[in-house]
Amino acid sequence: MLLPVALVLATLAVLGSYYETSDDGTLAWLFSGVLALKPVSSVPLYFHGYGHALAAAYSAVPGVAWFGLLNSGLLLLATVLVFAVLDGLFRVHFRLESRAPILALVLFFCVAWVEHWLWFSHVRAGILLAGAGVVFAAQRPTKRWALLVGLACVLGAWLMRPALAVLGVGIALPAAFLLAGSWRRAWPVVVGSGLVLVSAFGMAALVETPADQRAQRQYQSLARILDFRQLEAQPQTPADSLGTAAVELWLLGDTAVVNESLIGRVYVFNARAFIGSVVPAKLAVRAGLLVRDYFPMLLALAVTVLATTRRPERRPEFWLVQIGFLGLLILFAGLLKLPPRLALPILDFWLLTNLVFLANTARNSLITLPLTAPEKSALPTPFRQAWPPLLRRLFGGLGVLALALYATKTIHRRHVLGAERQRHETALQQLNQRTRGTVLVLGGTTDLLKSLSPFRVYYPSSVATLLLTGWQTQDPSQPRLRQRLLGTADQTAALSRLARASPTAQWLLTAETARWLNRRFRYKTGTESTVDLRPLASLPADTSYRFYQPAVR
């Protein structure tokens, strides 16, 4: 318990913690009320139930980073549970004594876990929480309290985001069966996890509204377009071109041009192009990134595979597991997407599963070795039975080299993320000075919220913020905000009114966003533009953004 907590605190103190994507910052702004009339308690697809607690917490104490604290608490729970599993594995199965289990746990944390805290994401927390709960309960099949903890973790992950719980449970199942020792001993946590997921999906379906169903369908379609690159646009009319241009820029809030009708009419799946060109390109890129980012993990996996195959036992299920994990990586990398927040959790449970395989075969081999009791007790680790001295020294040297390179890479990443955070925090400070007491229209990439600290709050000084870019533009809170501020829920009509308002709002946009908005204003009127956004000064800390002045004709 104390060791993982100490390692986490040391990581936060030495390396810090940075949002991996802008999604977490956007969610924090929704739950804290920055992007809405008041703190949002319900966001479709995300943080079911948690949202009400977060909204209440932000309303009561707005100066605390409740969203970051919630996710870090869940990630810490997952960390403690996984390390409890590993501690039992190292002490009982690998027969590590004295300080060796501690060193093994520290090594595992440095190679397989530190990135989860350095590159912070609710996606990591959800996947790891579900998987950790399953393996923790499976290792203790006779403990009812452990089963309750495991099932609570699965439910907690589902409430964060259902897909995260499904993936977490799936990648933990092979290790769960091995840790339990038999199918009969594993069935409570396996069946229980399945029942939790089925019940949760069933309850969600019962209370789902038609609006929720539309949002789910549109989210899935947009993911196929923007994330997975499965669908390609074939616009036929100026309206179609306007809509596809908006989708490419993530300007999804104008429902007059971005809607289900547009997606069904314009976007098509070209199987030949996708399988023949897109998938190979995605696989090539992701394979290179996996080697670059996770070479110590890949080396550890290779060592566990070689060590297991050197055993006299023939276990076909071992190779089925290897094929399964490799196929899962290929599936995500080629057909879907495989960002670091998905890749490392999969690699973590792949390595954990291989360690359990190796521990079981090593224990069986140790029992059958023709050694005396003193000779068996003199073996510091079962690895010596599988590795001749020369091979041990070779892999030991490679391991030391990989650790040194990975430490250097991690320190470099910390400096890059730290510089990015400083640049974005400076940009937000400059933005606050310019927009104090006004309405802020922010459009373009949402990278300003990337690499920020999960444990700080970032409140714009504007009286209201209209963020035009990102998935949150389709949240129900956004049309309500426009209705209250400007008397209309329609985005283009609201922006047109805002351009005529006094005092004027502050428009901070990227050039691509400004061009699209000017195009949208012209398309709306069908004549000369009634609103023309003209560039002014750039944001000093991030010159990709410029302030714009609306000229009304």
Side-chain angles (χ1 to χ4, degrees):
M1 173 66 179
L2 295 180
L3 178 62
V5 173
L7 291 172
V8 168
L9 293 177
T11 300
L12 297 179
V14 176
L15 298 177
S17 188
Y18 309 83
Y19 278 140
E20 181 179 346
T21 70
S22 61
D23 288 349
D24 292 275
T26 302
L27 283 167
W29 272 12
L30 279 173
F31 289 125
S32 62
V34 170
L35 300 177
L37 295 171
K38 60 181 181 179
V40 176
S41 60
S42 178
V43 178
L45 309 179
Y46 293 93
F47 289 87
H48 308 289
Y50 293 117
H52 295 278
L54 287 170
Y58 276 114
S59 298
V61 189
V64 176
W66 294 108
F67 182 77
L69 291 177
L70 170 66
N71 283 281
S72 61
L74 296 174
L75 180 56
L76 181 61
L77 175 59
T79 303
V80 170
L81 294 181
V82 167
F83 272 66
V85 172
L86 288 171
D87 184 64
L89 195 66
F90 291 146
R91 293 182 186 276
V92 177
H93 295 276
F94 283 109
R95 302 175 63 252
L96 300 183
E97 299 176 356
S98 186
R99 299 178 181 177
I102 296 177
L103 294 176
L105 290 172
V106 171
L107 181 63
F108 182 88
F109 184 90
C110 294
V111 171
W113 213 264
V114 71
E115 183 186 279
H116 298 314
W117 289 94
L118 176 65
W119 235 0
F120 199 85
S121 171
H122 74 277
V123 173
R124 297 175 185 269
I127 296 172
L128 295 173
L129 181 65
V134 170
V135 295
F136 181 81
Q139 193 184 45
R140 298 158 177 80
T142 62
K143 307 292 185 181
R144 181 170 297 181
W145 64 269
L147 177 61
L148 294 177
V149 169
L151 298 183
C153 289
V154 172
L155 179 60
W158 188 94
L159 292 173
M160 294 177 72
R161 193 170 172 181
L164 303 182
V166 174
L167 178 58
V169 171
I171 60 179
L173 284 180
F177 283 116
L178 294 169
L179 287 167
S182 67
W183 290 79
R184 184 182 61 82
R185 290 162 63 88
W187 80 263
V189 65
V190 173
V191 175
S193 298
L195 289 175
V196 167
L197 294 177
V198 170
S199 300
F201 278 112
M203 290 294 295
L206 289 176
V207 300
E208 194 174 49
T209 64
D212 293 332
Q213 294 173 354
R214 286 194 301 271
Q216 177 76 14
R217 289 195 303 269
Q218 189 149 319
Y219 172 84
Q220 293 172 350
S221 298
L222 290 171
R224 295 185 66 191
I225 298 168
L226 296 169
D227 292 332
F228 309 151
R229 297 295 173 182
Q230 295 177 355
L231 304 179
E232 59 182 35
Q234 295 182 354
Q236 303 296 324
T237 66
D240 292 346
S241 298
L242 187 66
T244 57
V247 170
E248 286 300 314
L249 294 172
W250 285 82
L251 297 168
L252 310 176
D254 193 337
T255 55
V257 295
V258 179
N259 47 49
E260 282 190 277
S261 176
L262 171 80
I263 295 173
R265 182 178 67 253
V266 173
Y267 288 92
V268 298
F269 177 66
N270 187 332
R272 177 176 296 181
F274 182 70
I275 301 299
S277 301
V278 177
V279 170
K282 291 169 65 177
L283 288 174
V285 170
R286 186 49 57 186
L289 293 176
L290 280 176
V291 174
R292 185 198 70 180
D293 293 338
Y294 302 118
F295 54 90
M297 287 291 291
L298 298 178
L299 178 62
L301 285 169
V303 169
T304 57
V305 169
L306 290 174
T308 304
T309 56
R310 291 177 63 85
R311 301 291 176 183
E313 300 90 343
R314 292 290 180 265
R315 305 192 67 176
E317 64 270 25
F318 174 78
W319 293 110
L320 289 177
V321 169
Q322 308 310 301
I323 294 172
F325 274 106
L326 181 60
L328 186 63
L329 289 174
I330 293 174
L331 171 68
F332 274 98
L335 300 182
L336 305 176
K337 68 175 182 178
L338 188 66
R341 56 191 175 277
L342 295 181
L344 187 55
I346 294 174
L347 292 175
D348 283 342
F349 281 93
W350 189 356
L351 179 59
L352 175 60
T353 303
N354 283 8
L355 287 173
V356 180
F357 265 118
L358 184 59
N360 289 342
T361 57
R363 180 187 56 185
N364 296 336
S365 298
L366 185 63
I367 294 173
T368 59
L369 277 177
L371 299 176
T372 64
E375 288 175 327
K376 286 185 177 181
S377 62
L379 291 173
T381 167
F383 278 101
R384 283 195 174 182
Q385 304 158 46
W387 300 98
L390 180 61
L391 206 55
R392 288 204 306 271
R393 285 193 291 269
L394 174 61
F395 278 102
L398 289 175
V400 171
L401 178 61
L403 287 174
L405 292 175
Y406 192 67
T408 303
K409 184 180 183 302
T410 301
I411 293 172
H412 173 71
R413 176 179 287 176
R414 186 264 177 202
H415 286 301
V416 170
L417 294 174
E420 189 174 43
R421 172 188 291 175
Q422 184 176 9
R423 185 169 65 253
H424 291 170
E425 289 181 343
T426 301
L428 290 174
Q429 291 172 2
Q430 295 171 351
L431 188 59
N432 285 343
Q433 294 170 1
R434 182 74 178 261
T435 62
R436 191 176 305 277
T438 66
V439 175
L440 170 63
V441 180
L442 183 60
T445 66
T446 54
D447 283 350
L448 283 179
L449 302 181
K450 183 177 177 292
S451 295
L452 298 181
S453 171
F455 307 110
R456 290 187 56 186
V457 292
Y458 299 90
Y459 286 119
S461 59
S462 55
V463 296
T465 300
L466 298 177
L467 183 58
L468 306 182
T469 308
W471 58 266
Q472 82 294 328
T473 57
Q474 297 193 320
D475 187 78
S477 64
Q478 301 307 289
R480 289 197 293 265
L481 175 62
R482 294 192 293 267
Q483 182 70 43
R484 175 68 66 85
L485 285 177
L486 300 159
T488 177
D490 180 82
Q491 178 176 281
T492 302
L495 294 177
S496 298
R497 293 184 183 183
L498 188 61
R500 298 176 173 84
S502 180
T504 59
Q506 293 292 331
W507 300 64
L508 184 68
L509 311 168
T510 59
E512 297 82 4
T513 302
R515 283 195 293 268
W516 186 89
L517 287 173
N518 284 332
R519 181 182 171 188
R520 179 68 178 98
F521 289 136
R522 288 193 296 270
Y523 178 82
K524 176 179 173 59
T525 59
T527 60
E528 290 296 320
S529 174
T530 57
V531 177
D532 185 39
L533 297 172
R534 299 176 179 176
L536 300 175
S538 298
L539 188 66
D542 190 340
T543 55
S544 64
Y545 283 93
R546 296 178 70 95
F547 287 98
Y548 282 80
Q549 177 67 45
V552 181
R553 301 179 183 178

